[in-house]
Amino acid sequence: MIISATLSKPTAQVQNCFGKEIIKIKLTAKASSNGYSYYAEEFTKTQVFHEHFTEQQMLEFLEAHAGKTFKSCVKRTENEEITILANKKGKITELKRVINNNPSNKKSSDTSEKNNTSKNHSIPPALRPALENRRKNYIIQEGTKVPFLMLLGIMNDEGKVISSKYDKFRQINRYLEFIDDILPEINLLPGQTLKIADFGCGKSYLTFAVHYFLSEIKKIPCNIVGLDLKKDVIEYCNQIAAKLKLNGLKFRVGNIADYSADDSPDIVITLHACDTATDFALKYAVSHNAKVILSVPCCQHQINQQLSKTENSLSSPQDSQKELLEPLLKWGIIREKFSSLLTDALRGEWLEQQGYKVQMLEFIDIEHTPKNILIRAVKKNSAKNDKKVPQIIEALNIKPEIFN
């Protein structure tokens, strides 16, 4: 059975078929006590629409649109990943990749089937764990022995996630979902190497994860450089990369603001690069024509400090704009949160002016980290004509690094 399907790269027929400019559709099998159905998410640039399909309706939908209304479709079953691609002339190609089942879960799965035969007999085995809430549909499954996760202390020698590291395990899988989602935007040619720069890589959990995902799961040649200021951390990461004999993965000591490289990366990623380091990373990505940017900002202090210094002037009766904003600035904790959101909003505005399509997404549940906004930017052909500095910058008398 089909567990999920994603249709992307719409053709000119989309408007006629759907009555709106759909850019992507995700179909996901959902288990229930009565069986299963399919949940559809239809994305436009600004909205998401939802539908529910029976299995037959879903199959008819894919038959009508995969490789036709949408040039790309990726279907996942219990054992295969099937990619349907259409070229400019309409020729459709189908590629299949076998997905290895998780043998360590077979025993528990068999036991589950025996115990629930009468209750869940109509639910396929692949969806029973979802119904029972016992197993997450992660890209990296628990029970799969992943060398870098074992060396970094997230998994034990049996491939079981250490309980105190489960949040990090979830974070890694969530990040890989974002990487998987943007790969169609890169348009790599067969055999072409994907180039990635990871700024502020730290202990490099995600850097190793992205390398493993691309090279071992997706079988995509990649060249990844991780950059961080801490020499001891970089030495440690290089030792792990050497021990695991990972080709195309290097770590360097350096400052994002001063970094330069011969090759322009296809993807620039940053996770919790502090304060203006995120701005320097975004500027580097734009100046090197990166096709995709994935950034989770951290510690947005700059605007908050600027507002603190000029707070007394903001309530001037001569300036109505400043008066309107005063309630957001008079309490320290509110001003801090407002400054953080404003910083990221201005980063998004700046990226749009540079010709990127920008989305602000939830990185991971806020209960696990308050730093959960992910800026996803994909390079498009043309930049905005309007490149003026937003009026709020003038009203607040601030100088955010991204607009410097």
Side-chain angles (χ1 to χ4, degrees):
M1 64 163 287
I2 295 174
I3 296 173
S4 66
T6 300
L7 296 95
S8 58
K9 296 187 179 180
T11 67
Q13 303 174 39
V14 165
Q15 178 67 42
N16 293 332
C17 291
F18 295 92
K20 44 186 175 283
E21 292 293 342
I22 301 293
I23 58 176
K24 181 170 63 177
I25 296 176
K26 288 186 176 181
L27 295 161
T28 308
K30 298 291 183 181
S32 68
S33 58
N34 297 322
Y36 65 96
S37 59
Y38 286 83
Y39 177 68
E41 297 175 280
E42 301 172 352
F43 296 84
T44 68
K45 291 182 178 180
T46 58
Q47 293 177 288
V48 182
F49 300 87
H50 306 282
E51 286 188 68
H52 288 276
F53 294 153
T54 64
E55 183 178 30
Q56 184 60 35
Q57 289 172 330
M58 180 276 302
L59 293 173
E60 292 174 355
F61 185 89
L62 289 181
E63 178 63 24
H65 299 293
K68 301 168 186 175
T69 316
F70 293 86
K71 295 180 182 178
S72 174
C73 174
V74 179
K75 299 185 292 185
R76 286 187 175 87
T77 69
E78 296 176 73
N79 304 306
E80 284 186 317
E81 182 182 90
I82 304 163
T83 302
I84 299 172
L85 299 170
N87 62 19
K88 294 180 179 180
K89 296 181 179 180
K91 180 181 178 181
I92 297 176
T93 303
E94 186 174 287
L95 306 173
K96 293 184 178 182
R97 180 176 67 85
V98 175
I99 300 174
N100 292 327
N101 288 319
N102 188 354
S104 64
N105 283 321
K106 188 176 187 304
K107 184 176 179 181
S108 60
S109 177
D110 291 342
T111 303
S112 175
E113 288 181 32
K114 291 177 182 178
N115 293 338
N116 295 283
T117 301
S118 59
K119 183 178 179 181
N120 298 328
H121 65 278
S122 62
I123 301 174
L127 292 184
R128 290 176 192 169
L131 176 62
E132 297 159 6
N133 198 27
R134 293 180 181 176
R135 179 182 172 192
K136 301 295 183 182
N137 189 25
Y138 291 138
I139 289 177
I140 298 177
Q141 285 287 336
E142 184 172 9
T144 302
K145 294 182 180 181
V146 181
F148 84 90
L149 290 179
M150 291 189 286
L151 274 178
L152 291 173
I154 296 176
M155 281 183 172
N156 62 21
D157 293 340
E158 285 73 43
K160 182 176 176 59
V161 177
I162 296 170
S163 58
S164 62
K165 297 293 185 179
Y166 212 88
D167 284 350
K168 178 62 69 175
F169 180 70
R170 292 180 67 249
Q171 184 189 67
I172 287 171
N173 275 284
R174 178 63 172 152
Y175 204 74
L176 293 182
E177 289 176 6
F178 285 113
I179 296 293
D180 191 31
D181 197 40
I182 55 86
L183 287 178
E185 304 287 351
I186 306 299
N187 294 320
L188 280 178
L189 297 175
Q192 184 177 353
T193 299
L194 182 63
K195 294 172 290 185
I196 300 176
D198 184 357
F199 292 129
C201 60
K203 292 183 179 179
S204 302
Y205 293 102
L206 296 183
T207 324
F208 283 106
V210 171
H211 183 273
Y212 175 83
F213 172 66
L214 293 173
S215 59
E216 298 298 325
I217 298 178
K218 301 297 286 187
K219 305 300 181 184
I220 297 174
C222 61
N223 187 354
I224 304 177
V225 176
L227 185 77
D228 201 273
L229 286 170
K230 298 178 181 178
K231 184 178 179 181
D232 58 334
V233 172
I234 291 300
E235 288 178 351
Y236 174 70
C237 292
N238 276 321
Q239 288 171 6
I240 293 178
K243 187 173 183 178
L244 295 174
K245 299 180 180 179
L246 302 179
N247 296 322
L249 180 58
K250 297 180 180 179
F251 298 92
R252 299 175 181 173
V253 178
N255 191 324
I256 297 173
D258 303 324
Y259 180 73
S260 61
D262 295 333
D263 292 332
S264 295
D266 299 299
I267 303 174
V268 169
I269 60 180
T270 70
L271 179 69
H272 298 161
C274 287
D275 201 16
T276 55
T278 293
D279 299 300
F280 293 127
L282 297 180
K283 289 179 179 180
Y284 177 90
V286 169
S287 66
H288 287 74
N289 293 312
K291 297 175 182 177
V292 174
I293 304 169
L294 296 174
S295 177
V296 181
C298 174
C299 308
Q300 300 95 326
H301 295 312
Q302 186 195 39
I303 287 179
N304 188 28
Q305 292 170 348
Q306 292 175 357
L307 290 177
S308 298
K309 292 178 181 178
T310 60
E311 184 179 359
N312 292 333
S313 67
L314 292 176
S315 57
S316 170
Q318 284 82 22
D319 193 332
S320 60
Q321 288 179 314
K322 294 176 181 178
E323 283 187 319
L324 288 172
L325 292 168
E326 184 182 2
L328 291 170
L329 308 174
K330 64 188 293 186
W331 292 289
I333 189 171
I334 299 297
R335 185 179 63 237
E336 181 181 1
K337 292 181 181 296
F338 168 66
S339 300
S340 176
L341 292 172
L342 176 59
T343 300
D344 289 338
L346 291 174
R347 286 165 173 163
E349 178 70 18
W350 182 81
L351 285 168
E352 285 187 341
Q353 292 181 2
Q354 311 310 310
Y356 285 79
K357 175 190 171 184
V358 178
Q359 292 175 290
M360 298 287 175
L361 304 169
E362 182 181 72
F363 174 38
I364 201 165
D365 293 342
I366 198 166
E367 64 183 278
H368 299 292
T369 173
K371 305 163 187 174
N372 72 328
I373 291 179
L374 181 139
I375 302 173
R376 179 167 67 184
V378 178
K379 182 70 174 177
K380 297 301 178 183
N381 293 327
S382 59
K384 274 187 174 181
N385 292 325
D386 182 9
K387 291 191 177 183
K388 68 179 181 180
V389 176
Q391 292 181 350
I392 193 170
I393 292 178
E394 299 176 3
L396 292 173
N397 192 28
I398 56 176
K399 297 180 180 179
E401 177 59 43
I402 198 66
F403 276 94
N404 287 342

